[in-house]
């Protein structure tokens, strides 16, 4: 009798053990135990030093630069003059040259409800030499200069470091911590990839566009000295027909010009650039992307154009994540995933960065493209041709952190944590890149999460997929 009881208990233990193992297999990776305060950070007041208007009549402010062409030989310099249009000319020169060149830009203004913008200037400087340091200025009396490092010539083994100040930055005390943390990171980014939701001015009554101006002055300390690559998020839509504002993206597209025509796009909301060893495609989560739409038609021809022998690293930026295991914004990216994921896998996109969810998450390489409505194959599976999805919507805006997570952690989720921070994507050569995520509470060099990425095209273990590419 006792023997029978012991045997039954042993079988029961085996069953429980098996079930625990099964649960372990089904569950995903790491949910960080790091517990940060979840106080919602207030916006910095208008008289904060980071918003200070520069002294002097009509002094240029809100200076920011971005890539100005498809190849990386041009830069767009943008700035605002508050009192009158002033000069459209940018003078620029290299460190080792006394010869100054000049480029002329355009100036525009816009109205939004009861707000009228300052004079917004956009000037494209073309034909930059590769790997060169340029100084630029507008008007000698202001002694304000930008500093531009032109990128190296595109090539497969060119090392290059991209920063990711998370999208969803806003202008709170936490936003300021994130930007400072990024600036003081010893692994400095050379160019910043920004994944949407900039100023959060639409959270104010009547979308108070003065908060676009404060945001422009806040980011100038970084964006005037290294290119920020722009992606539009939902807080850029600014669609408010109740106050007569029915043209989506009006403030964003007036203030932030991008080189979309250079990649044959018809909209500044989706475009592509090459930079060093990376090919970067920017998509719009809030523009039509279904079949036959302008964005779909453009994207359909974009991926086959990427020459991975020249730019091995294929990066996609969008605002709404396709794989997200937080409760907040859960499955909002699902329709875009259904449309575009088969292409991401077919063309072996290396990594997709998104924001929107105010937290951090890194996925395993998974795909979910086998489902055909009747076959029941609707679970993500491990897929080495699939991208790594990194959600980095943790800039620090006034809406606070997304702390609620789906439970248990799904198998596609490798690491997740509800903290503000920034990322560094460090391309070493054609086969290896390193990604590190830094939370704001740690020392500047500390990484809370990191991963090596092996290139989808050049990874030696993927010889067969190279051949079939
Ligand atoms: Fe968002």
């Amino acid at each position: 009798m006792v023997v029978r009881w012991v045997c039954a208990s042993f079988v029961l233990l085996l069953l429980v053990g098996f079930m625990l193992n099964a649960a372990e297999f089904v569950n995903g990776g790491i949910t960080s135990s790091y517990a940060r305060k979840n106080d919602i950070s207030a916006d910095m007041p208008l008289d904060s030093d980071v918003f200070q208007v520069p002294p002097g009549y009509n002094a240029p402010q809100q200076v920011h630069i971005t890539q100005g062409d498809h190849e990386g030989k041009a830069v767009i310099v943008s700035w605002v003059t508050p009192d009158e249009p002033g000069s459209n000319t940018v003078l620029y020169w290299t460190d080792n040259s006394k010869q100054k060149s000049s480029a002329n830009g355009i100036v525009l203004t816009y109205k939004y409800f009861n707000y009228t913008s300052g004079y917004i200037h956009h000037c494209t400087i073309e034909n930059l030499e590769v790997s060169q340091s340029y100084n630029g200025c507008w008007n000698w009396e202001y002694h304000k200069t930008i500093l531009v490092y032109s990128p190296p010539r595109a090539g497969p083994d060119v090392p290059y470091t991209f920063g990711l100040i998370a999208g969803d930055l806003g202008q709170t005390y936490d936003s300021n911590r994130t930007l400072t943390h990024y600036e003081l990171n010893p692994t400095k980014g050379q160019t910043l990839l920004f994944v949407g939701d900039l100023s959060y001015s639409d959270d104010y009554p009547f979308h108070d566009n003065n908060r676009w101006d404060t945001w422009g002055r806040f980011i100038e300390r970084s964006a005037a000295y290294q290119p920020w690559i722009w992606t539009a998020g939902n807080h850029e839509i600014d669609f408010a027909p109740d106050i007569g504002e029915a043209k989506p993206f009006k403030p964003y597209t007036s203030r932030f010009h991008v080189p979309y025509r250079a990649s044959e796009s018809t909209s500044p909301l989706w475009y592509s650039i090459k930079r060093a060893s990376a090919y970067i495609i920017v998509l719009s989560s809030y523009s039509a992307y279904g079949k036959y739409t302008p964005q779909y038609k453009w994207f359909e021809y974009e991926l086959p154009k990427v020459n991975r022998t020249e730019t091995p690293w294929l990066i996609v930026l969008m605002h709404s994540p396709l794989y997200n295991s937080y409760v907040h914004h859960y499955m909002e990216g699902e329709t875009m995933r259904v449309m575009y994921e088969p292409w991401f896998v077919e063309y072996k996109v290396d990594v997709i960065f998104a924001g929107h969810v105010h937290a951090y998450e890194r996925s395993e390489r998974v795909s979910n493209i086998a489902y055909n409505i009747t076959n029941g194959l609707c679970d993500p599976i491990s897929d080495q041709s699939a991208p790594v999805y990194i959600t980095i919507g943790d800039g620090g805006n006034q809406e606070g952190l997304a702390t609620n997570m789906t439970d248990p952690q799904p198998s596609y989720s490798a690491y997740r944590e509800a903290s503000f921070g920034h990322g560094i994507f460090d391309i070493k050569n054609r086969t290896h890149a390193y990604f590190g995520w830094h939370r704001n509470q740690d020392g500047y060099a500390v990484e809370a999460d990191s991963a090596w990425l092996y290139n989808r095209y050049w990874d030696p273990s993927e010889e067969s997929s190279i051949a079939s590419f």
Side-chain angles (χ1 to χ4, degrees), residues 168 195-197 200 233-236 286 319-320 329 332 355-358 399:
D168 314 75
V195 286
D197 282 0
Y200 284 74
N234 51 303
H235 285 280
E236 279 67 73
Y286 304 99
H319 185 64
S320 186
H329 302 311
E332 282 185 19
H356 201 38
V357 179
H358 301 163
E399 293 177 357

Side-chain angles (χ1 to χ4, degrees), residues 119-358:
Y119 299 92
I120 303 169
H121 301 253
H122 302 287
C123 178
T124 303
I125 302 174
E126 297 175 313
N127 300 315
L128 299 174
E129 295 172 36
V130 295
S131 301
Q132 186 62 259
S133 168
Y134 286 89
N135 300 287
C137 76
W138 302 262
N139 188 327
W140 293 112
E141 67 185 278
Y142 297 125
H143 302 291
K144 179 184 263 187
T145 58
I146 55 167
L147 187 61
V148 181
Y149 292 100
S150 58
R153 197 183 309 280
D157 288 313
V158 179
Y160 203 78
T161 307
F162 292 99
L164 284 125
I165 281 192
D168 314 75
L169 184 59
Q171 42 196 303
T172 69
Y173 294 100
D174 277 324
S175 321
N176 198 25
R177 278 182 207 110
T178 301
L179 184 55
T180 303
H181 213 76
Y182 172 65
E183 290 172 302
L184 296 177
N185 189 326
T187 314
K188 295 196 183 307
Q190 295 161 277
T191 290
L192 190 101
L193 307 177
F194 193 96
V195 286
D197 282 0
L198 283 65
S199 74
Y200 284 74
S201 66
D202 60 342
D203 278 353
Y204 283 82
F206 310 115
H207 297 225
D208 182 1
N209 274 225
N210 289 296
R211 278 290 175 174
W212 273 110
D213 291 317
T214 53
W215 196 78
R217 294 196 289 272
F218 162 50
I219 62 155
E220 180 183 307
R221 71 184 199 235
S222 171
Y225 303 98
Q226 65 171 249
W228 284 34
I229 307 302
W230 300 109
T231 312
N234 51 303
H235 285 280
E236 279 67 73
I237 301 173
D238 278 316
F239 179 69
D242 52 319
I243 55 172
E245 292 300 340
K247 184 185 173 193
F249 300 104
K250 191 207 283 184
Y252 171 72
T253 54
S254 300
R255 291 168 181 274
F256 299 93
H257 278 197
V258 297
Y260 67 97
R261 290 193 184 91
S263 55
E264 294 162 356
S265 166
T266 52
S267 167
L269 302 173
W270 56 89
Y271 63 99
S272 67
I273 58 168
K274 288 194 284 190
R275 201 160 183 93
S277 41
Y279 197 102
I280 298 162
I281 296 176
V282 175
L283 296 178
S284 175
S285 301
Y286 304 99
S287 305
Y289 46 77
K291 206 163 183 179
Y292 314 120
T293 61
Q295 183 168 208
Y296 181 99
K297 296 285 283 183
W298 175 82
F299 192 36
E300 182 179 19
Y301 293 108
E302 185 63 17
L303 282 171
K305 282 198 299 196
V306 182
N307 177 0
R308 304 291 282 273
T309 60
E310 183 192 30
T311 50
W313 292 95
L314 180 49
I315 300 169
V316 174
L317 310 180
M318 62 179 66
H319 185 64
S320 186
L322 305 191
Y323 284 91
N324 160 38
S325 73
Y326 289 83
V327 172
H328 210 50
H329 302 311
Y330 186 62
M331 288 186 74
E332 282 185 19
E334 186 63 5
T335 49
M336 185 181 261
R337 186 193 66 74
V338 170
M339 291 305 302
Y340 292 160
E341 190 182 22
W343 290 347
F344 295 146
V345 175
E346 179 183 355
Y347 290 98
K348 295 186 169 57
V349 171
D350 290 291
V351 58
I352 296 182
F353 292 107
H356 201 38
V357 179
H358 301 163

Side-chain angles (χ1 to χ4, degrees), residues 63-98:
V63 185
H64 52 90
I65 61 175
T66 194
Q67 184 157 318
D69 66 355
H70 193 246
E71 304 292 323
K73 293 178 184 160
V75 62
I76 300 173
V77 184
S78 303
W79 71 98
V80 174
T81 47
D83 305 309
E84 58 175 286
S87 170
N88 272 339
T89 302
V90 173
L91 299 171
Y92 61 98
W93 64 98
T94 58
D95 274 348
N96 50 12
S97 163
K98 301 225 167 15

